[in-house]
Amino acid sequence: MRGSDAFQQDAQHHLAAGDVPAYMQTLGQSARAAASALRRADTQVKNQALAAMAQQLDAARRDILQANAEDMQRGRENGLDSALLDRLALNDQRIDAMIEGLRQVAALPDPVGEIDGMSYRPSGIQVGKMRVPLGVIGIIYESRPNVTIEAASLCLKSGNACVLRGGSEASASNAALSRCLQAGLADAGLPAGSVQVVATTDRAAVGEMISMPAYIDVIIPRGGKSLIERISREAKVPVIKHLDGVCHVYIDTTADPAKALAIAVNAKTHRYGTCNTMETLLVDAPIADILLPELARAYAEHEVELRGCERTLALLLQAVPATEDDWHAEYLAPILAIKIVDGMEEAIEHIERFGSHHTDAIVTQDYSLARRFMAEVDSSSVIVNASTRFADGFEYGLGAEIGISTDKLHARGPVGLEGLTTQKYIVFGDGQVRQ
Amino acid sequence: MRGSDAFQQDAQHHLAAGDVPAYMQTLGQSARAAASALRRADTQVKNQALAAMAQQLDAARRDILQANAEDMQRGRENGLDSALLDRLALNDQRIDAMIEGLRQVAALPDPVGEIDGMSYRPSGIQVGKMRVPLGVIGIIYESRPNVTIEAASLCLKSGNACVLRGGSEASASNAALSRCLQAGLADAGLPAGSVQVVATTDRAAVGEMISMPAYIDVIIPRGGKSLIERISREAKVPVIKHLDGVCHVYIDTTADPAKALAIAVNAKTHRYGTCNTMETLLVDAPIADILLPELARAYAEHEVELRGCERTLALLLQAVPATEDDWHAEYLAPILAIKIVDGMEEAIEHIERFGSHHTDAIVTQDYSLARRFMAEVDSSSVIVNASTRFADGFEYGLGAEIGISTDKLHARGPVGLEGLTTQKYIVFGDGQVRQ
């Protein structure tokens, strides 16, 4: 098998010649070879690489900030808006956070090698499942350079090689971070192909990356819905998708009013731009005339615009009429759609028809309703009596999160280290043959 | 929501008008609606439907055999070969086997609703995962009509609606079986859309089926490699693939010779046409000159053709030279490729380079080698000291098998009821909000 250095030299050669397809193929081959080494790497070796990467980041602060200043300068010249510039910007505090992130991932339990459900079969063989890395993971993301460190650390810890394609606006920052990652890998004796940051801003690189099933086992796009939809449509490699979060809270008549108020306010106003933010509130009719005016006062304090169904409008003068589009909307903004329904059945029907199967909650004191809501709502997170904002890898105890999957196959909901692995069957026998 | 009968009427209407796209869309809508009902169905109701289906099959033997006779007649007229005609043929014994299959699936534990890893988080919420159906499963298969019953029963038991597209040569048989399935669903009060057999032999139906992500959550093709590759290439819906099985047995020098002999003979000769049959034997050099001649005698009794590397040829006069193609070959026939290697390292490299990541085995008495082989071989089944032929849903104790997945994501290896489900996160709180 070819050595990692030979691949890196070839890659540089193709890059210099402007041959993007050959460059990406070489990264893919290098990653595939590195994946074999990573699959066998001890937890200790992987943790050593993560610790060395953290040290390298600390030592290279000046380089990183200088590279980031270049990106920021170019960004301002290209007229990036202030939100984008803020996401792009690095400072000592953000570098501290990356270093802390690397150390946290090193401290997480290693999912690789975990054996599940080993049992004897009548034939005398023992069968179980062993957790193993997926192989090579491709990650395509946008402006935030810290994703480079996050993605690299999670892939490495779960025993996967990765190919990282960040936004072109962050290219200098990502190149500086890549040098730290490479030095960390070398320190632990792991191949350079274990983590590769794509070093061209040519958009053809993405097209190649999503068309190499021989070298890349799964693509995880991180970014806006349009990026993810485009990649999913064109990819020849499986994609772990994170599409929209049209999340609901349904408040049942038996709900504890204080809890209902707290949950409905938190689910909407804790952060507006996140996928687990509530976008539509469903209220059971008998409790609506007491609860809604109080809720409206709380939302008014947060300057949340309310868009209601007809029955809601009759109760809340400050609400504007909701249209069909509002029931589908992922506002990611201080706007809330409100609908009064007649019972949980209607609430579930609404969620099924208009929701995105991301995260949906019920507030109720009724045991049977809670039990039924849990079983019947087909969403990646179903919550009883808590805010939808809890649908998050850290809150769920995964220790880290590479994204939230809205797919049904493989990983569903917040994806941590385990979502970057798969299980193979293992069999122990002592000479058994099939009769 | 529209009733199941309305969908069935619409479907008949589109079918009569020859509008295949509209027909398939209607089946899809009907399946999606049925999936909501099935998700909520108790185990008892699903088992009742399975039992009623078994009764219906028993009562409809005459109809089924008559329909099958039509298919056989047409098959003979169309010049189907005898192997295909054999797969197509039904008789009382085969109907008995279908009835028994339905009863076995009814007796399996219901995977739906199983809750895993529930634990308290520092915030006070309790988080865990609940096993739930995938939704709607599309199955595309070839001539054997019993797949209709197998697929329907596994999808139903796992709470999924299904759309079944069998081979056109079995259309009359499948229609007769479909009537029994429908009667069974009606008996248990489940919607007709729960199990739908596509009633047109127009090939456009397959194209539609694999392009309806709104209505079908996953496609499982069962058949030859070319069918599966074509469907995977064209599908807009996730596909659980079962591609080739280029399986290896590696015999280490420390192997118990009697066990090695038994395993190597069984793995090749127990059945030639199955995906878990050994296609290449790898033998550690120091044991080759003792073991190979003995093995060759055993294979000669089974009339297995041997194709060897140069070192093998020097030991076995009856062997013919193997070419590069032989190392890649899935013979599905009494042919075996043999290679002498220098140690496990080389064996694993060979498996990685030429294998299909399906099932690979080692025969060894060395503890450390067994442990390393287990960890390092990246196949859906990795076996120590037993025949590759054990890689099978029944032998593994899954109770049933809808296929063997060669994918890494979602299900890997034999797929039983659990592979037809997914897990969602569930959260129980008591008013918690995110700080």
Side-chain angles (χ1 to χ4, degrees):
Chain A
M1 207 173 281
R2 302 193 65 205
S4 211
D5 288 348
F7 284 124
Q8 300 309 311
Q9 279 168 21
D10 281 4
Q12 287 315 310
H13 172 78
H14 293 309
L15 189 59
D19 187 346
V20 173
Y23 170 65
M24 293 305 295
Q25 293 281 323
T26 308
L27 294 196
Q29 288 162 11
S30 177
R32 179 59 77 209
S36 288
L38 281 176
R39 192 166 61 233
R40 300 160 199 209
D42 285 342
T43 308
Q44 207 187 339
V45 172
K46 295 186 285 189
N47 288 347
Q48 187 190 331
L50 292 167
M53 288 168 176
Q55 278 166 7
Q56 292 289 341
L57 280 184
D58 196 25
R61 284 173 190 267
R62 222 178 107 181
D63 279 4
I64 296 168
L65 293 175
Q66 205 160 17
N68 186 249
E70 278 176 44
D71 284 335
M72 291 294 286
Q73 171 70 20
R74 205 180 50 243
R76 276 185 293 263
E77 285 166 15
N78 293 342
L80 294 192
D81 67 30
S82 62
L84 222 59
L85 285 172
D86 176 57
R87 265 177 269 164
L88 180 55
L90 291 179
N91 52 35
D92 262 310
Q93 222 178 341
R94 287 190 174 177
I95 294 176
D96 287 345
M98 290 193 258
I99 292 171
E100 179 54 25
L102 283 164
R103 294 194 172 132
Q104 279 173 3
V105 172
L108 289 176
D110 188 340
V112 174
E114 209 179 80
I115 293 175
D116 234 26
M118 213 65 207
S119 70
Y120 278 98
R121 297 291 308 148
S123 61
I125 61 172
Q126 266 172 297
V127 182
K129 284 177 168 185
M130 182 190 270
R131 195 162 283 290
V132 293
L134 285 171
V136 180
I137 298 177
I139 300 185
I140 298 169
Y141 51 105
E142 291 171 334
S143 48
R144 292 192 305 124
N146 57 327
V147 175
T148 306
I149 302 297
E150 250 177 68
S153 62
L154 292 174
C155 290
L156 179 63
K157 181 74 186 228
S158 54
N160 294 287
C162 63
V163 177
L164 308 176
R165 211 299 185 160
S168 55
E169 61 283 8
S171 57
S173 311
N174 285 336
L177 295 173
S178 170
R179 286 190 290 274
C180 299
L181 296 172
Q182 284 300 326
L185 289 170
D187 186 89
L190 290 172
S194 304
V195 178
Q196 295 174 102
V197 174
V198 175
T200 171
T201 57
D202 191 326
R203 293 189 67 169
V206 173
E208 286 297 320
M209 211 171 143
I210 63 175
S211 316
M212 312 196 293
Y215 303 128
I216 294 189
D217 295 295
V218 61
I219 292 280
I220 305 179
R222 286 184 53 162
K225 194 179 169 187
S226 69
L227 171 80
I228 297 171
E229 283 182 334
R230 186 160 37 91
I231 286 173
S232 309
R233 208 167 38 236
E234 294 168 13
K236 307 280 176 220
V237 176
V239 177
I240 296 181
K241 284 187 286 295
H242 178 182
L243 293 173
D244 37 357
V246 181
C247 305
H248 301 76
V249 173
Y250 166 60
I251 303 178
D252 167 56
T253 294
T254 68
D256 175 320
K259 291 174 188 169
L261 192 71
I263 290 169
V265 170
N266 185 263
K268 182 70 234 179
T269 67
H270 182 253
R271 271 180 72 186
Y272 295 113
T274 51
C275 58
N276 54 17
T277 296
M278 166 178 66
E279 302 293 12
T280 298
L281 176 69
L282 303 168
V283 183
D284 198 13
I287 204 179
D289 53 348
I290 293 176
L291 195 71
L292 275 183
E294 203 176 340
L295 256 175
R297 276 190 293 279
Y299 286 131
E301 280 174 33
H302 290 88
E303 298 181 10
V304 174
E305 179 188 333
L306 304 180
R307 303 188 183 172
C309 67
E310 277 190 31
R311 291 158 86 183
T312 301
L313 297 180
L315 288 174
L316 302 179
L317 293 176
Q318 61 273 60
V320 301
T323 66
E324 169 100 7
D325 283 349
D326 285 298
W327 310 128
H328 288 289
E330 185 185 23
Y331 299 118
L332 302 172
I335 307 172
L336 177 68
I338 303 178
K339 185 173 184 179
I340 295 176
V341 295
D342 293 312
M344 187 178 77
E345 204 85 9
E346 192 185 336
I348 292 181
E349 261 174 45
H350 181 100
I351 291 170
E352 204 158 305
R353 181 157 165 217
F354 297 105
S356 65
H357 306 285
H358 190 296
T359 298
D360 298 291
I362 186 172
V363 189
T364 186
Q365 289 300 112
D366 185 296
Y367 173 85
S368 298
L369 285 188
R371 197 163 170 267
R372 277 186 51 207
F373 191 86
M374 214 47 143
E376 295 181 9
V377 172
D378 185 27
S379 299
S380 74
S381 286
V382 184
I383 297 179
V384 174
N385 290 336
S387 171
T388 54
R389 287 281 296 134
F390 283 109
D392 171 285
F394 293 92
E395 293 294 336
Y396 282 180
L398 307 185
E401 180 187 290
I402 193 116
I404 295 185
S405 162
T406 54
D407 290 327
K408 284 185 172 179
L409 268 71
H410 192 65
R412 193 177 190 195
V415 180
L417 289 176
E418 197 177 288
L420 301 180
T421 63
T422 180
Q423 289 181 305
K424 68 183 180 191
Y425 281 96
I426 57 175
V427 176
F428 292 104
D430 215 348
Q432 279 82 0
V433 298
R434 183 104 176 253
Q435 302 301 336
Chain B
M1 207 173 280
R2 302 192 65 205
S4 211
D5 287 349
F7 284 123
Q8 301 309 311
Q9 278 168 21
D10 281 4
Q12 287 314 310
H13 172 78
H14 294 309
L15 190 61
D19 187 347
V20 173
Y23 170 65
M24 293 306 294
Q25 293 282 323
T26 308
L27 294 196
Q29 289 162 10
S30 176
R32 180 60 76 209
S36 289
L38 280 176
R39 192 165 60 234
R40 300 160 200 208
D42 286 342
T43 307
Q44 207 187 340
V45 172
K46 296 187 285 190
N47 288 347
Q48 187 190 331
L50 292 167
M53 288 167 177
Q55 278 166 7
Q56 293 288 339
L57 280 184
D58 196 26
R61 284 173 190 268
R62 223 179 107 181
D63 278 6
I64 297 168
L65 293 175
Q66 204 159 18
N68 187 249
E70 279 175 41
D71 285 334
M72 292 293 287
Q73 171 71 20
R74 204 178 52 242
R76 276 186 292 264
E77 285 166 15
N78 292 342
L80 294 192
D81 67 30
S82 62
L84 221 60
L85 285 172
D86 176 57
R87 264 177 270 165
L88 180 56
L90 291 179
N91 52 35
D92 262 309
Q93 222 178 342
R94 289 189 172 178
I95 294 176
D96 288 345
M98 291 193 256
I99 292 171
E100 179 54 24
L102 283 163
R103 293 194 172 133
Q104 279 174 3
V105 172
L108 289 175
D110 188 340
V112 174
E114 208 179 82
I115 292 175
D116 233 24
M118 212 67 206
S119 70
Y120 278 98
R121 299 290 309 148
S123 60
I125 61 171
Q126 266 173 298
V127 182
K129 284 176 167 186
M130 183 190 270
R131 196 162 283 289
V132 292
L134 285 171
V136 180
I137 298 176
I139 300 184
I140 298 169
Y141 51 105
E142 292 171 333
S143 48
R144 291 191 305 125
N146 58 326
V147 175
T148 306
I149 302 298
E150 250 178 69
S153 63
L154 292 173
C155 290
L156 179 62
K157 181 74 187 226
S158 54
N160 294 287
C162 63
V163 177
L164 308 176
R165 211 294 185 165
S168 56
E169 61 282 9
S171 56
S173 311
N174 286 336
L177 295 173
S178 170
R179 287 190 290 275
C180 298
L181 296 172
Q182 286 300 326
L185 289 171
D187 186 272
L190 290 172
S194 304
V195 178
Q196 295 174 103
V197 173
V198 175
T200 169
T201 58
D202 192 325
R203 293 188 66 169
V206 172
E208 286 297 321
M209 211 171 142
I210 64 175
S211 315
M212 312 197 292
Y215 303 127
I216 294 189
D217 294 296
V218 60
I219 292 280
I220 304 179
R222 287 184 53 162
K225 195 179 169 187
S226 68
L227 171 80
I228 296 171
E229 283 182 334
R230 186 161 36 93
I231 285 173
S232 308
R233 211 167 35 238
E234 294 168 13
K236 307 281 174 220
V237 176
V239 177
I240 295 181
K241 284 188 285 297
H242 180 183
L243 293 172
D244 37 359
V246 180
C247 304
H248 301 77
V249 173
Y250 166 60
I251 303 178
D252 167 56
T253 293
T254 69
D256 175 320
K259 290 175 188 168
L261 192 73
I263 289 169
V265 170
N266 184 263
K268 182 70 234 179
T269 68
H270 182 252
R271 272 180 72 186
Y272 296 112
T274 51
C275 56
N276 54 16
T277 296
M278 167 177 65
E279 303 292 15
T280 297
L281 176 69
L282 302 168
V283 183
D284 198 12
I287 204 179
D289 54 348
I290 295 176
L291 195 72
L292 274 183
E294 203 177 341
L295 256 173
R297 276 191 294 277
Y299 287 131
E301 280 174 32
H302 290 89
E303 299 181 10
V304 174
E305 178 188 332
L306 305 180
R307 302 188 183 173
C309 66
E310 278 189 30
R311 292 157 86 182
T312 301
L313 297 180
L315 288 174
L316 303 180
L317 292 177
Q318 62 272 61
V320 300
T323 66
E324 170 100 6
D325 283 349
D326 285 299
W327 310 128
H328 288 287
E330 185 185 24
Y331 299 118
L332 302 172
I335 307 172
L336 177 69
I338 304 180
K339 185 172 187 185
I340 296 176
V341 295
D342 293 310
M344 187 178 77
E345 204 86 9
E346 192 186 336
I348 293 181
E349 260 174 45
H350 181 99
I351 291 170
E352 204 159 305
R353 181 156 165 218
F354 298 104
S356 65
H357 307 284
H358 190 297
T359 298
D360 297 292
I362 186 172
V363 188
T364 186
Q365 288 300 113
D366 185 296
Y367 173 84
S368 298
L369 286 188
R371 197 164 169 266
R372 278 185 50 208
F373 190 87
M374 213 47 142
E376 296 181 9
V377 172
D378 185 29
S379 299
S380 74
S381 286
V382 184
I383 297 180
V384 175
N385 290 336
S387 171
T388 53
R389 286 281 297 132
F390 282 109
D392 171 284
F394 293 91
E395 292 294 337
Y396 282 0
L398 307 185
E401 180 188 291
I402 193 120
I404 295 185
S405 163
T406 55
D407 289 328
K408 284 184 172 179
L409 269 71
H410 191 66
R412 195 178 188 194
V415 181
L417 289 178
E418 197 178 287
L420 301 180
T421 63
T422 181
Q423 288 181 306
K424 68 182 180 191
Y425 281 97
I426 58 174
V427 176
F428 290 105
D430 214 348
Q432 279 82 0
V433 298
R434 181 103 175 255
Q435 301 301 337

